[in-house]
Amino acid sequence: MPSGILRSSLGRNDWRRRPGYGGFTAQTNIWHVMEPRPSWELEIPTSDQATRHCLQQARLTGAKALRMMGLHQRAQLIRGLTKKLPHLTGSGYEAPLARLSGMAASCFCDYPDGKFVPCSAAFAEGDSLTQWIMMPRKGIAFLCGTSDEAVIEAIGPAILSGLPCLLCCSGHGPATDVVCAITDQALLPDGALQHIPLDPADIAPHLTAGDVVCLLDPRPCSAALSSHPLVFTGKVSLEHVSGESHLAVLGPDLTPGSPEFQDFVTRMTADRSGLGPDVHLPRALLPAVDGLDLRLTPYDQPEEVTAAASHAGPVYLHLTSRDGVFLSTILNALAPYCAQITLNGKTCSGERDPLRFMARTTISASADQMTRLTGIWHRGASVRQNGHPFRKSLEQLAPGDRLITPEHKITCEDVERFADLTGDHFYAHMNAEHAKTHPFFEDRVAHGQLIVSIANGLLVDPDPGPVLANLGCNALRFHMPVYFGTSIHVEMTCRQITPRPSGNLGEVRWDCRVLDGDDKLIAEYELLTLVSKQWPSE
């Protein structure tokens, strides 16, 4: 029996415990189309003790475990899940597990580790830096659906975003079997993934600010949840995964006997696990697909296909054609609405943001504070000069470790030897008379790549050590020409350290500034190196 009442309305947007009661019930608001307030209210009793225990486990135990981890630790959990789950559940989950693996890999490659994850470059505002960052929400993810593949795919962004997951379905089926397999083998921390026998229509009383609701199947409760005060005000995120549309389009240039047409039909009929895509094809090709179990929409003009842009939810577009004009017409119209595009069987764009459930905000802080928060060194932050950084393993290295190299004087001989070696005899490097006619130069100048090569040589410690390879450089920019007789040196600072999840290696990004004798900036770039976690290697 319910022991209390929890009330809500758009007018006052609060959820309160009725005095004198120990538990809760809630009121779900059903909105009349023409009225700004509820036309009637229906009380829903609280869940039983088991459901309350699961909620407590998720909000306290699971949430604490996930939020104490950095992003890369959570990505490692997902990577481990993708490796072990097939051995527990058998085959059949290759597609969603591949997408989960891709989500984890993108976190390692695209984002630094830490509890605060930068999602933009920092920019200066007066004496401070401002940057967009992502952080875990203080909530949980309600996964509402019975599709095992959809549940597997929804676990990824939730766990990566630091949200414990509750699978909400009243019965048992493949989705609950997957959850049981994961929890029985402790592939995720306690409380991070649970099944509660709760119908999705009854989750409204249990929502708090920061929660995420994923509707993985078409649900009649969608409209009621959309009008929930916390959803209406944006404090709870509601994602209609079932609203994603798969749209397949066959161009007018193909014929029934062409290999492209046969491949198109094969791909469209291969996966019959769901409704399948809505197939748009020229009306003249209808007889060629007669009898196939496909949802067909014939068209006469390309403009009829572009009406698909009005579909709710992100569109997954499968487009097959060799007609450039047709492809351009369809892509220009539909690309802004697409989560992914597959062109002639080749995927052209990536999956949706694996961290889309994380909270995003801006922070303004000093360079030192920003470095501590994000784990990435920012110019203006403190530095340390305590030995050559290339002699340090990942365990010993820290953002802010700096090297200032000796100077090297650029000579005519340097330039001419470099020109002969590379074949770059551009007149501004080789002919003083012609160089003086150049609108930017006063005399012969050194090659830009020569400056970078000498800079990299100044950085190197020649003896065997933890730095194993140069992986390249980013954002190389030249700021001023270098004339013969100019002395250059390099100011190199450890910017970011990214250990690889497996193996004794990691990547290090170095902020490099090439300066002249007066400390004027000649060039700058980000150097990438491969470094051992320990040295000597174990």
Side-chain angles (χ1 to χ4, degrees):
M1 293 294 292
S3 56
I5 296 291
L6 191 68
R7 298 189 182 275
S8 173
S9 71
L10 277 179
R12 60 180 187 271
N13 189 26
D14 60 349
W15 294 79
R16 300 174 185 158
R17 187 191 301 264
R18 176 179 287 181
Y21 290 84
F24 295 114
T25 63
Q27 295 188 336
T28 298
N29 298 320
I30 309 299
W31 302 98
H32 191 279
V33 174
M34 301 301 292
E35 296 182 4
R37 57 186 180 180
S39 58
W40 61 278
E41 296 179 330
L42 173 67
E43 291 194 358
I44 300 175
T46 52
S47 58
D48 58 17
Q49 187 65 33
T51 297
R52 275 200 296 270
H53 175 73
C54 288
L55 288 164
Q56 186 178 36
Q57 276 285 96
R59 294 198 184 279
L60 298 179
T61 307
K64 182 179 179 180
L66 291 175
R67 289 168 200 149
M68 286 182 64
M69 298 179 179
L71 174 61
H72 289 186
Q73 290 176 287
R74 296 195 295 271
Q76 187 65 21
L77 286 177
I78 296 300
R79 174 171 284 184
L81 190 152
T82 62
K83 292 180 178 179
K84 296 176 182 178
L85 189 59
H87 300 293
L88 303 175
T89 59
S91 60
Y93 299 116
E94 290 81 3
L97 288 175
R99 286 189 282 271
L100 280 192
S101 181
M103 292 179 192
S106 70
C107 290
F108 290 120
C109 297
D110 300 336
Y111 299 101
D113 196 14
K115 298 177 178 63
F116 298 95
V117 181
C119 52
S120 73
F123 56 92
E125 284 191 336
D127 295 331
S128 65
L129 295 175
T130 298
Q131 186 169 36
W132 279 95
I133 64 167
M134 297 182 288
M135 64 185 72
R137 295 170 177 261
K138 291 187 175 179
I140 60 179
F142 293 87
L143 311 182
C144 305
T146 57
S147 167
D148 45 352
E149 290 197 10
V151 167
I152 291 173
E153 196 162 345
I155 288 171
I159 297 297
L160 291 173
S161 298
L163 293 174
C165 301
L166 290 178
L167 173 62
C168 303
C169 60
S170 54
H172 288 274
T176 56
D177 292 341
V178 168
V179 171
C180 290
I182 294 172
T183 54
D184 289 347
Q185 296 297 317
L187 300 183
L188 295 173
D190 287 344
L193 177 64
Q194 301 173 85
H195 166 239
I196 55 176
L198 186 68
D199 191 274
D202 297 330
I203 67 174
H206 308 294
L207 295 177
T208 63
D211 288 345
V212 172
V213 180
C214 296
L215 300 179
L216 306 177
D217 300 327
R219 291 279 167 180
C221 62
S222 174
L225 285 171
S226 297
S227 66
H228 189 289
L230 292 177
V231 175
F232 188 84
T233 56
K235 295 178 182 178
V236 167
S237 176
L238 180 63
E239 179 174 273
H240 299 263
V241 177
S242 59
E244 296 172 347
S245 304
H246 285 259
L247 178 66
V249 180
L250 184 64
D253 55 306
L254 302 183
T255 61
S258 65
E260 293 84 1
F261 178 84
Q262 297 299 328
D263 180 65
F264 178 89
V265 171
T266 300
R267 284 187 286 112
M268 291 305 101
T269 56
D271 182 9
R272 308 310 299 157
S273 58
L275 291 176
D278 184 9
V279 179
H280 289 241
L281 76 169
R283 191 176 302 276
L285 290 178
L286 278 176
V289 294
D290 184 37
L292 296 179
D293 184 17
L294 295 172
R295 292 185 295 144
L296 303 175
T297 302
Y299 70 86
D300 297 304
Q301 299 296 328
E303 290 73 16
E304 299 174 37
V305 180
T306 60
S310 62
H311 283 209
V315 175
Y316 288 74
L317 177 62
H318 307 263
L319 182 57
T320 302
S321 178
R322 299 295 180 185
D323 186 332
V325 175
F326 177 80
L327 291 174
S328 179
T329 300
I330 300 300
L331 290 175
N332 285 335
L334 297 186
Y337 303 92
C338 292
Q340 179 174 297
I341 301 173
T342 301
L343 180 60
N344 295 324
K346 307 289 185 181
T347 300
C348 305
S349 62
E351 297 291 342
R352 300 173 65 191
D353 181 7
L355 303 181
R356 61 184 179 274
F357 295 149
M358 292 189 86
R360 285 165 168 80
T361 186
T362 56
I363 56 172
S364 294
S366 68
D368 278 322
Q369 291 171 327
M370 193 73 77
T371 296
R372 286 194 293 270
L373 285 172
T374 63
I376 300 175
W377 180 83
H378 292 79
R379 289 181 183 176
S382 301
V383 297
R384 294 166 299 280
Q385 293 179 250
N386 53 358
H388 199 302
F390 279 14
R391 302 306 308 167
K392 299 179 181 180
S393 66
L394 288 192
E395 291 181 342
Q396 301 165 324
L397 195 63
D401 285 353
R402 171 171 287 181
L403 170 72
I404 297 179
T405 71
E407 292 186 341
H408 176 95
K409 181 178 287 188
I410 302 299
T411 65
C412 177
E413 182 183 7
D414 289 336
V415 171
E416 291 183 350
R417 289 173 60 192
F418 187 81
D420 290 338
L421 180 65
T422 62
D424 182 354
H425 293 89
F426 185 63
Y427 72 90
H429 308 309
M430 308 303 294
N431 188 301
E433 181 180 352
H434 291 165
K436 292 175 182 178
T437 66
H438 193 281
F440 306 144
F441 303 143
E442 299 172 3
D443 207 332
R444 292 172 66 183
V445 296
H447 305 72
Q449 295 299 329
L450 170 61
I451 299 302
V452 174
S453 298
I454 291 176
N456 285 341
L458 292 171
L459 298 174
V460 168
D461 184 282
D463 295 327
V467 176
L468 304 177
N470 178 340
L471 299 179
C473 69
N474 294 328
L476 172 61
R477 180 72 180 269
F478 299 105
H479 292 273
M480 59 183 289
V482 176
Y483 299 103
F484 302 164
T486 301
S487 293
I488 67 170
H489 66 279
V490 185
E491 179 184 275
M492 180 184 73
T493 310
C494 176
R495 183 170 186 270
Q496 180 181 340
I497 301 170
T498 308
R500 289 186 175 177
S502 58
N504 186 38
L505 303 171
E507 285 88 24
V508 179
R509 297 172 182 264
W510 307 86
D511 180 83
C512 298
R513 303 173 75 234
V514 184
L515 309 169
D516 68 5
D518 298 322
D519 284 338
K520 293 180 180 178
L521 183 62
I522 294 173
E524 59 183 337
Y525 57 98
E526 182 183 65
L527 178 67
L528 283 70
T529 60
L530 193 64
V531 181
S532 292
K533 292 179 181 177
Q534 298 96 22
W535 184 262
S537 297
E538 295 180 351

